[in-house]
DNA sequence: TAGGCCATCTGGTCCT
DNA sequence: AGGACCAGATGGCCTA
């Protein structure tokens, strides 16, 4: 209940103060309604912007998805999977680059028959929330099954990355 | 049916 | 003041 303004009490002009109060009440109701619609329209605009912002965010996420290798190809990663996968993918690419540089200069002859990491063996690490636990793309240059001979090193990116496609299989991987 | 994922709404806070 | 960003709440859809 709003307090009555000084000097507006009933008295000398019976009826007038009451009318004034009524008018004031109507005016207040009007301004409140106006304020309400103003707030409402601002809210609606803000909602619209927020929706747009999230659409842009999702579009960017889709773009990110489109450059990540998945298996099968039409597998759609969730948002969190996309981010984790991208993180690990970037890590693996840079690791591959680093190892390739180590292995340079390129071998005189390509012997072929590189054995990429078995799909799924390390797939879990790609999407795990933890830091990549070094899926060996080009680890030690030894062993017939290792993708790490110097020849294979130069060949590592495409082959090894293909081998790492897929969704998490191991413990520690995000649920899906 | 429970749980995961997602879109949307909303109010608060920060920035320009 | 208005927009951007953020986090919490809510409800819908889908799958195991």
């Amino acid at each position: 209940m709003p307090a009555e303004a000084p000097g507006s009490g009933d008295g000398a002009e019976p009826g007038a103060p009451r009318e004034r109060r009524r008018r004031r009440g109507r005016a207040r109701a009007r301004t409140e309604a106006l304020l309400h619609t103003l707030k409402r329209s601002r809210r609606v605009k803000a909602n619209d912007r927020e929706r747009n912002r999230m659409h842009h965010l999702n579009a960017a996420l889709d773009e990110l998805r489109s450059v990540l290798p998945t298996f099968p190809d039409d597998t759609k990663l969730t948002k969190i999977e996309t981010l984790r996968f991208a993180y690990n993918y970037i890590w693996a690419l840079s690791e591959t680059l680093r190892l390739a540089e180590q292995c340079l200069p390129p071998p005189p002859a390509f012997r072929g028959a590189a054995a990429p990491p078995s799909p799924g063996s390390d797939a879990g690490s790609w999407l795990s929330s933890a830091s990549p636990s070094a899926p060996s793309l080009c680890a030690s240059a030894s062993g017939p099954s290792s993708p790490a001979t110097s020849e294979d090193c130069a060949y590592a990116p495409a082959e090894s990355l293909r081998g790492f496609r897929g969704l998490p299989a191991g413990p520690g991987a995000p649920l899906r």
Side-chain angles (χ1 to χ4, degrees):
Chain A
M1 220 23 164
E4 197 176 314
S8 64
D10 294 347
E13 291 179 301
R18 200 172 304 167
E19 178 58 26
R20 235 177 287 156
R21 268 204 302 272
R22 222 173 325 197
R23 254 181 264 160
R24 216 175 297 158
R26 279 198 293 268
R28 177 172 302 170
R30 255 203 310 275
T31 55
E32 274 178 10
L34 220 62
L35 212 64
H36 182 263
T37 54
L38 185 66
K39 274 186 182 176
R40 187 67 218 159
S41 80
R42 276 186 195 157
R43 229 315 111 195
V44 167
K45 268 205 255 178
N47 288 348
D48 212 42
R49 282 195 305 272
E50 177 66 7
R51 216 178 304 126
N52 245 312
R53 198 179 67 86
M54 294 311 291
H55 286 169
H56 282 121
L57 187 62
N58 287 339
L61 215 50
D62 277 339
E63 266 183 70
L64 182 57
R65 271 192 199 103
S66 71
V67 298
L68 293 176
T70 57
F71 181 80
D73 282 335
D74 58 348
T75 302
K76 188 183 179 186
L77 299 171
T78 65
K79 293 181 174 181
I80 187 71
E81 283 171 346
T82 303
L83 293 176
R84 286 176 176 158
F85 193 0
Y87 176 90
N88 291 344
Y89 189 53
I90 290 168
W91 177 86
L93 287 175
S94 49
E95 191 68 2
T96 301
L97 216 56
R98 190 179 65 78
L99 292 167
E101 277 168 7
Q102 271 183 15
C103 295
L104 288 178
F110 173 65
R111 286 207 309 268
S118 62
S121 63
D122 273 344
S125 68
W126 276 76
L127 285 163
S128 74
S129 53
S131 299
S133 56
S136 57
L137 298 177
C138 184
S140 61
S142 64
S145 65
S146 164
T149 64
S150 54
E151 297 91 331
D152 301 336
C153 256
Y155 201 55
E159 280 307 314
S160 57
L161 291 175
R162 257 193 286 276
F164 277 107
R165 279 175 169 186
L167 289 169
L175 302 173
R176 189 55 178 148

